[in-house]
Amino acid sequence: MSDTSAPALPVTFRPARTRVVLLTSGVAMFVVISAVGLMLDSLSPGERMSFVFVAALFAGVLVMLSRPKVVADDDGVTVVNITRVRRLAWAEILRVNLRPGDPWVFLDLSDGTSLPVLGIQPGIAKGRAIDDARALRALADSRGTGREGA
C-alpha cells in the first residue's frame, strides 16, 4: 500500500464508493417507487402521495447511511457517524485500530472507551480503507498521545 506519512491537514476520510452506491440507489429507489405510485390509476391522490412519502423515507435512510466521514484538522478529529457527530482533540486519541475482519476503524480514547469510525470502512474499497487508517494513525501518532508503531 502507500507509505504511512501523515497527510497535510485538513483532510477528510470517507468511504467514497459506498457513498456513491448508497446515494445512487436512493435516487433510483425514489424515482421508481414514486413513478409506480403516480402511474397507478386505481389509487387516490392520498395513496399516491403515500408512495412518494415512502420513497422519500427510504431515500432518506440511504442518505443517512452515506453520511459517515472523518475530518482531521490542526485541532483534532471530527467523527461523523450515521446519527452522531463527535469532536475529539488529538490528545484524546490513543490508538487507531483496523484489525482484519473489523467492519470499520476504532479509536481507543484516553477515557478508556473505544469509538467506532464508520468513515473508514474496508467493505467495498479495502485498500483505500487501510491507507486511510494508516494516514489517520500517522496523524494521531504525530499530533497526539498515540504510541508510534502501535
Side-chain angles (χ1 to χ4, degrees):
M1 307 284 161
S2 67
D3 63 62
T4 58
S5 63
L9 295 176
V11 63
T12 300
F13 304 105
R14 72 171 21 152
R17 288 183 188 169
T18 302
R19 183 174 167 84
V20 167
V21 168
L22 289 169
L23 293 175
T24 302
S25 299
V27 169
M29 189 182 318
F30 178 80
V31 169
V32 168
I33 294 173
S34 296
V36 167
L38 295 174
M39 290 189 319
L40 291 174
D41 293 331
S42 62
L43 298 179
S44 71
E47 290 170 326
R48 288 180 184 187
M49 290 310 300
S50 70
F51 269 79
V52 174
F53 175 76
V54 168
L57 188 63
F58 285 157
V61 168
L62 292 178
V63 167
M64 283 184 63
L65 290 172
S66 72
R67 189 172 173 237
K69 67 181 177 179
V70 181
V71 180
D73 58 32
D74 290 325
D75 299 322
V77 174
T78 303
V79 177
V80 179
N81 285 334
I82 294 171
T83 59
R84 299 192 76 197
V85 176
R86 182 154 178 203
R87 179 74 183 161
L88 301 166
W90 286 112
E92 293 179 77
I93 302 170
L94 299 179
R95 188 171 187 173
V96 178
N97 293 311
L98 180 58
R99 296 174 293 265
D102 279 352
W104 40 70
V105 164
F106 289 91
L107 300 179
D108 291 340
L109 304 179
S110 60
D111 65 1
T113 63
S114 182
L115 177 67
V117 178
L118 280 62
I120 302 175
Q121 47 183 268
I124 295 176
K126 185 176 182 180
R128 178 169 177 189
I130 291 170
D131 290 345
D132 289 350
R134 286 180 178 156
L136 185 57
R137 181 179 296 142
L139 286 167
D141 288 345
S142 67
R143 296 183 170 272
T145 58
R147 298 183 307 271
E148 191 69 41

